[in-house]
Every structure is written in C-alpha cells, then in structure tokens.
Amino acid sequence: MTDATDVETPDAVRLGDAGDDVSSATVVLVTSDEETRSRAMTPLSEVFGTDGVTSLDDLDALSPTPAARCLVVADNVVDDIAALVADYPETAIVVLSTDLAVEHVATALDAGAADVVPVDDSNRFARLGERVAAVVAWSELRPEATARITEELKEQAMDEAPVGITIADFSLPDRPLVYVNRAFCRTTGYTSSEALGRNCRYLQGPDTDPESVAELRRAVDAGEPTSVELLNYRRDGSEFWNRVDIAPIKNGDGEVTHYVGFQTDITARVRAEEAAERYAAAANRERERLQGLLEHIEGLLEEVTGVLVRAKSRAELERGVCERVADAPSYAYAWVGDCDLAPDTVVPKVWTDGEVSVEDVVIDRDDAADPVARAVSTRQPQSAALADERGGHPADLPFEGVVAVPLLHRETLYGVLVVYTHSASVEEHELVVLGTVGRAVGAAIDAFESRRTLLTESVVELQVVVDDPAAPLVALAVEAECSLASEGVVVRDDGTILLFVSVTPPETALDTVSIPGIEEVRRIGDTTETGVFEVVLPARSNLSLVAETGGRLTDLTVDPQDRSLTLTVTVADRSTGRALLDGLKSVSASVRVGRIRERDTPPATRRGFVADVEEVLTEKQRTALQLAHVGGFFEWPHGISGDELADAMGVSRSTFHQHLRAAEKKLVSRFHQDDS
C-alpha cells in the first residue's frame, strides 16, 4: 500500500507558470517574515514553478482583483481572515499558522480559510505545495468529484467496510434486514441471501443477555440510537461477542423508515478481560490460602503472618519480615537480597534499621562456600558460622552466624532472606521454620506481583556503577582532573545524546580535552562561574542505551578518584532493567548494581507530565529549553545571552527564540493541562 504522503501530484494539478505580475500569478505568498518566506517558497515552487509563485510583504500590495488561484497568507500579517475571504471570494485562502493551538486553527477555518498549515518542522509544512495544489484543484473540480460519488460507489464502500453494516426496513413486518455487507457475512458465517429478509435477532442464543436485548428494543421503540455488547452466535453455533451500534434513519416527515446497524467483533477483548478477572481471582484465592496456612504457625511465624496480612506492597512486606525476624530472640539482623537484576551477585535490597550497615555487602553467586550463594542455587535454607566463612559479608559485622532462606513460590525465586544470628550454629528445626517463612513470603510476593501486574503501575530504580577507566565520561573526568554531575540530558532523533554536566572545580577547561567516544564538548556561556558544559555522545553509548530501553536517567556522577561512572535510572520493570544491564555490559568492562528500589503506583503526575511534554517537544525545542535552563538564561540578570545560546545550537538568534518560545508554550500548556 502506498503512503499517502509520498503520492506524486498528478499532472492535472501541476499549475502552469504565470509570470511575475501579481495580476497574473498562480499563487501569491504574503508574509513579512523572511525565514517563513524562504521556507515556504521551496515547497510551493516545487509544485507551481518559480514563475508561478509571487511573494509579497504586505496585503496592501495585493491587486484588488488578482488572478491568483490561491493566496497563502501568514497569520501575523492578517487581522481579519473573514474579511480577506470576503474581499477575494473567487480565490482560495490558505493560512500559514504560527500558533498551533486547536482553537486558533478552528477560528481560521470558521472564518472561511480553505486550509491551515502550521509553520513547524513537520511533514505537514514540507508538503505545503501539495496542500495548496489540492486546495486549488478542489475549488475547481469539486462539482465533478462530487458527481462521481454515486449510489453504486456508496454501496461499494459499505460492502468493503471492515465492520459489519446492516440496514433494517421498518416499513415491513418484523423489521427485516434488507442490506448486509461482506464483513457482516464474514463475522456471522451467514451468506447475504440467508441473512436478508430476517430480523437480526436470529443471531441471539441461550446465553445472550436479555437486559442488553431489552436495551436495543427500548431504543428502537423510542427511535433513538444506542450501543450494546451482546453474546451472539454464528451460523456454525460458535459464540462471539458483538458490539452493536444502531441509529435510526428518518424521512422528511421525521418518521423512522430504517435502522442502520454496525457490528464489531470484540471477542478477543472480552476474552482477555475475562482471563484477567480469572487470574486476579486466582491470585486472591492464593493469598487467602496463604493466610489460612500462616495462622497455624507459632512464634516467629505468627509475627510474619501479621506482616503478610497487613502489608500493602511488596516493599512493605519485605521490610516488615526483616524487622520481625530481627526482633526474634535467636536472631540479630536481617536483609532481603535481590538475585534477579544482578545475575552474578546477590546484593541487599531491604534491610533492618540500626547502626549496622549492609549496603556494601556483595555476595558472589559462584561462591559455593557462602550460604547465601548455596541457598540461591539449591533453593533450600543454608547456614554457616561467620568465623568460618565470611565471603562477601564485611568483617566488621558483629554477628556469629548467618542463615540464608530462599523466597520461593512454586518454581519462582523472588529473592533470599539473609538472617544474622548471635550463635555460630543454627538448629535444624530453625531451618525448617525459616524455610516455611521463605515459602510463605514467596507466595505473598507472588500475589503482590500478580495484582500489581493487573492493577497498578510500577517502576524500578537502579543505581548502576560502571568501573571502567576507558569509559568516555570517566576518561574525560580523569584527563580534565574534575568530577562531573548531570544537569540534564536530551536524546536526539538520530540516537546521539546531548548531556549537560557541571564540573568541579567550575573553572576546569573541559572543552580543551579530546577523548575517543565523545564527539564534542562545549562550554555553555563565556564565563567560568557556572562550569556547565554540553557533551555530545554518539549512539550506542551508555546513555543512549538507557534511552533505547525506555529508561529515564535521574542522576549521573563521575568520580575521577574512583575512576567510575554512577548512573541512577528508572525503568518500567525488572525485565527492562535486565536488558539495560546486559546492554551496558556489552560496551563497558565492569558494570555492577549499587542499589535497587521498587515503587508501586509511582508519582504518576510527574511521570505523566514529563512524558507528555517530551512527546510534543521536537528535538530542537528540547535542546533550546535545556540550553536556556542550564546556561542561566531564565535568571536575572541572564547568565547567558540569546546570541550565545543560538550560537551553541548553530542557528540564528530568531530561530533559537522561535524554538524556545514554542517549547515554553508547550511546557506551560501541559502544566495547565491544556489539551490543545
């Protein structure tokens, strides 16, 4: 199928040359803005020829009765479009709009403009010539085109429609169908000869909802339109869900003579909704079964049961379990380890509050002597004396023993509960009890995950540390002897990254350093007071991988002393986080997870606002807004001038301000929830 935007303009619409005189011109372009004129002349000349387009700065230069077939007028040179249309009734008016608001476009159309073309960087403006040619052709050929819309063509269009269409005759007994299209026949299995002459109730069956049928009958009796969803039956007896939309057709006296119906097969959607409800019910039953099981467990299990029942989220559950276990007389401290996003290690995710810190604990999953690694591999509780086996457990932990309990539900491992003890050895029956705790917690986590998948949004926050001196940003900081901190990032359409960083110390001449893997470094502004630079990174860099996986960079720091890059990224889920880590490892020598946090029902207002704004901003608008922000343009006095910002973008001052104003308008519109 050919894309409509690539169809060549027919020769019949290519209008001939008309000379330079306004009185004989084919198209007159009226704009006082040189940039708009230059941009508009290119697509217009491609269709009408250079001699077929005349350019004017002002409407006063127009002849009272021009022979122009179309006036293309910028909205900033005309105050009253309706008056212009009245002055030139035989000439089509196309408005070039610099205001993209829906209300502004509607006002121009209501005033009689034949079309409104926004002045932007989209394909709409690039195809201005074709749009003007179409306006001219329609004004001349409309009667001929309208005459070709015959009754036969209308019926053919109905026959080829992708949804079922029926017409029932209300002048005949029982209001039978007198027309059905091909889609109706495909959906129901009935041929047209089998369907015609019958009331469409023959599609109903034993499980069709009588209330929905009654709603159809009520609307028909009242001569009103309505929409219902029905369980209908095909010719072979199979069921399908049918969304039926009906509307009356009246004659000149206002009497209903026919009813038109539209049938859409929504079986797949209804089945998916039913499956989701069954899955949610099964998850609730599993949770209820779990609660019943935990009521029979004494001592520690009673405390854990309370946590499982009261917890509103997975994070609350895991933290509550850690606290209850640590409060038990035999135990001293507990943490839950993540073994999903870091396949080579186990790192603490949630831990007990107190003076002891386990943030630096990293357990090698290949260390068979470590009980945590053994618990993950065997899926059974394991224990050891810390005096015999420290492994990844820091030497300053004031505990004697460690127990590792896998958090399992069926075949799924959701993590590992690590418990430090006052005693170097653990009784066998304690391992049995803790194993039961692990299975109970695993089942509860499974229920939370099931419900969250069906009912809530969530994000995973990853702190990723890249210990790679060869990483471009690390090499840049080391060579310049400064630390870097992110001030914002823009993802270009070609995949390259504009990273805005502040440096410490601020007087560092970062733009004098050349590093492979960094395309360009440029200081924002002429002074060294802010110490803000624009760094251009190529596609397939660390930051472009974040964008490709749908992640959002919330923080970035580079420490030249540690020769490491630390990224804080939010991703939609753990599988996306896993893909991001795999991608980072493909371009960096050493990548490790520093911290993992999950949030249910994240702050949707901020996420939705940012995503909504980014969606409507062009790359140049995002770049202009970010440059102005980090350069101090919005402060008073300005930290940087408009000329400097325009030079940073490589555009003229007027173009920069055009991009900045468009970005500001979109930003403010979204802030006020302006749907336009």
Side-chain angles (χ1 to χ4, degrees):
M1 183 174 179
T2 304
D3 187 346
T5 61
D6 295 327
V7 175
E8 289 294 330
T9 304
D11 291 340
V13 182
R14 292 189 181 277
L15 307 178
D17 296 338
D20 296 330
D21 185 15
V22 175
S23 63
S24 61
T26 297
V27 174
V28 176
L29 171 65
V30 185
T31 176
S32 59
D33 179 61
E34 182 60 36
E35 182 179 354
T36 301
R37 176 186 296 105
S38 176
R39 292 180 60 191
M41 285 295 291
T42 298
L44 288 173
S45 298
E46 289 175 354
V47 175
F48 296 94
T50 55
D51 295 334
V53 182
T54 297
S55 176
L56 298 175
D57 292 337
D58 196 283
L59 285 170
D60 293 339
L62 274 174
S63 170
T65 57
R69 300 159 83 176
C70 183
L71 295 180
V72 181
V73 184
D75 58 2
N76 57 3
V77 299
V78 56
D79 296 326
D80 190 343
I81 296 175
L84 183 64
V85 172
D87 289 341
Y88 300 98
E90 303 300 324
T91 303
I93 307 296
V94 173
V95 177
L96 295 181
S97 175
T98 57
D99 187 341
L100 305 184
V102 172
E103 295 86 349
H104 183 76
V105 174
T107 299
L109 293 175
D110 291 343
D115 205 348
V116 179
V117 179
V119 180
D120 57 16
D121 296 326
S122 70
N123 183 59
R124 298 175 297 178
F125 187 78
R127 309 300 286 241
L128 174 63
E130 282 90 339
R131 295 188 72 174
V132 171
V135 167
V136 172
W138 178 248
S139 65
E140 296 181 355
L141 304 177
R142 179 174 182 173
E144 179 182 340
T146 304
R148 289 198 294 268
I149 307 299
T150 62
E151 293 302 318
E152 180 181 356
L153 180 59
K154 293 178 182 178
E155 184 169 346
Q156 182 181 359
M158 292 172 61
D159 283 341
E160 298 301 329
V163 299
I165 300 177
T166 60
I167 298 177
D169 192 331
F170 271 41
S171 68
L172 299 178
D174 203 29
R175 301 165 177 173
L177 298 178
V178 294
Y179 170 83
V180 296
N181 70 345
R182 294 189 182 97
F184 176 86
C185 295
R186 287 194 301 269
T187 300
T188 64
Y190 290 94
T191 66
S192 60
S193 61
E194 293 169 334
L196 297 179
R198 306 169 66 186
N199 186 289
C200 61
R201 72 174 67 91
Y202 68 85
L203 295 176
Q204 300 172 18
D207 292 327
T208 301
D209 181 19
E211 292 185 4
S212 297
V213 174
E215 167 58 21
L216 279 177
R217 186 180 301 114
R218 183 206 64 77
V220 168
D221 291 343
E224 299 173 349
T226 193
S227 177
V228 298
E229 294 181 0
L230 293 172
L231 181 65
N232 281 164
Y233 293 80
R234 298 185 178 90
R235 188 178 187 276
D236 61 6
S238 60
E239 298 176 345
F240 74 99
W241 280 95
N242 190 8
R243 191 187 73 206
V244 180
D245 300 279
I246 63 171
I249 299 176
K250 300 179 181 180
N251 60 18
D253 296 328
E255 299 173 341
V256 176
T257 61
H258 298 79
Y259 249 89
V260 61
F262 302 92
Q263 291 82 24
T264 306
D265 187 343
I266 59 171
T267 305
R269 192 209 77 197
V270 174
R271 296 290 184 244
E273 291 173 350
E274 292 174 345
E277 291 175 357
R278 289 195 300 271
Y279 193 78
N284 287 332
R285 289 195 298 271
E286 179 69 11
R287 188 181 180 115
E288 292 171 358
R289 185 196 66 79
L290 173 64
Q291 293 175 0
L293 171 65
L294 296 178
E295 289 175 357
H296 296 86
I297 302 175
E298 297 179 352
L300 172 64
L301 295 185
E302 291 181 358
E303 293 292 326
V304 173
T305 300
V307 173
L308 300 182
V309 173
R310 291 191 298 270
K312 303 300 183 183
S313 66
R314 176 177 176 177
E316 181 182 344
L317 179 141
E318 291 173 338
R319 181 172 297 280
V321 169
C322 288
E323 293 172 351
R324 297 301 182 275
V325 170
D327 286 341
S330 300
Y331 311 130
Y333 196 90
W335 54 271
V336 170
D338 192 288
C339 47
D340 176 18
L341 288 169
D344 302 325
T345 61
V346 178
V347 295
K349 173 186 175 185
V350 176
W351 51 82
T352 308
D353 292 332
E355 297 180 358
V356 176
S357 174
V358 293
E359 291 186 79
D360 297 328
V361 172
V362 179
I363 308 298
D364 186 352
R365 288 178 62 167
D366 293 330
D367 185 2
D370 193 295
V372 177
R374 294 200 307 271
V376 171
S377 61
T378 65
R379 308 296 177 93
Q380 296 292 329
Q382 303 289 328
S383 65
L386 284 177
D388 300 331
E389 188 56 54
R390 277 286 171 179
H393 308 274
D396 59 350
L397 290 178
F399 310 119
E400 298 295 327
V402 59
V403 180
V405 183
L407 304 180
L408 279 170
H409 181 65
R410 297 190 176 98
E411 299 300 319
T412 303
L413 179 65
Y414 285 105
V416 57
L417 172 64
V418 180
V419 183
Y420 293 113
T421 64
H422 296 299
S423 173
S425 62
V426 178
E427 297 279 342
E428 184 64 27
H429 76 273
E430 290 182 83
L431 290 181
V432 173
V433 172
L434 288 173
T436 303
V437 170
R439 290 189 295 275
V441 173
I445 292 175
D446 182 81
F448 275 120
E449 291 299 307
S450 299
R451 288 180 59 83
R452 184 175 63 180
T453 300
L454 291 171
L455 304 177
T456 67
E457 291 185 324
S458 65
V459 292
V460 178
E461 183 182 80
L462 301 178
Q463 185 186 76
V464 182
V465 182
V466 179
D467 296 311
D468 184 2
L473 289 174
V474 177
L476 179 66
V478 171
E479 181 68 19
E481 299 182 350
C482 67
S483 61
L484 307 180
S486 173
E487 297 293 341
V489 63
V490 173
V491 182
R492 285 173 161 173
D493 294 339
D494 61 2
T496 58
I497 301 293
L498 288 182
L499 174 66
F500 301 95
V501 297
S502 58
V503 300
T504 304
E507 64 271 12
T508 302
L510 196 67
D511 49 351
T512 63
V513 180
S514 177
I515 297 295
I518 295 181
E519 296 184 353
E520 184 181 1
V521 179
R522 181 164 51 189
R523 180 182 292 276
I524 306 300
D526 291 334
T527 68
T528 60
E529 295 179 359
T530 59
V532 178
F533 291 83
E534 173 189 280
V535 180
V536 181
L537 299 172
R540 295 301 297 171
S541 64
N542 286 332
L543 299 191
S544 64
L545 291 173
V546 172
E548 289 172 9
T549 56
R552 183 180 300 282
L553 180 69
T554 59
D555 193 20
L556 177 150
T557 58
V558 181
D559 188 340
Q561 302 300 321
D562 294 342
R563 295 175 179 260
S564 64
L565 164 68
T566 302
L567 305 173
T568 303
V569 181
T570 57
V571 293
D573 50 42
R574 286 176 166 259
S575 62
T576 305
R578 176 72 264 150
L580 172 59
L581 290 175
D582 290 342
L584 292 175
K585 289 182 178 180
S586 70
V587 298
S588 300
S590 174
V591 177
R592 57 186 172 88
V593 177
R595 183 180 69 244
I596 303 171
R597 292 178 180 172
E598 290 182 330
R599 296 197 304 265
D600 289 335
T601 58
T605 299
R606 173 172 171 77
R607 286 185 64 211
F609 176 81
V610 173
D612 201 19
V613 171
E614 288 188 344
E615 182 179 355
V616 299
L617 291 178
T618 66
E619 175 194 322
K620 292 181 179 178
Q621 291 166 0
R622 292 196 306 270
T623 303
L625 195 62
Q626 192 73 61
L627 279 170
H629 171 63
V630 301
F633 182 73
F634 297 114
E635 300 173 0
W636 185 258
H638 294 313
I640 190 171
S641 70
D643 289 332
E644 291 173 315
L645 292 171
D647 183 66
M649 285 187 64
V651 298
S652 68
R653 185 176 186 275
S654 61
T655 301
F656 167 79
H657 282 289
Q658 180 182 0
H659 292 315
L660 183 60
R661 283 195 299 271
E664 290 171 337
K665 179 176 179 60
K666 293 176 181 179
L667 180 64
V668 174
S669 295
R670 288 305 183 273
F671 180 84
H672 290 290
Q673 298 181 345
D674 181 359
D675 291 338
S676 65

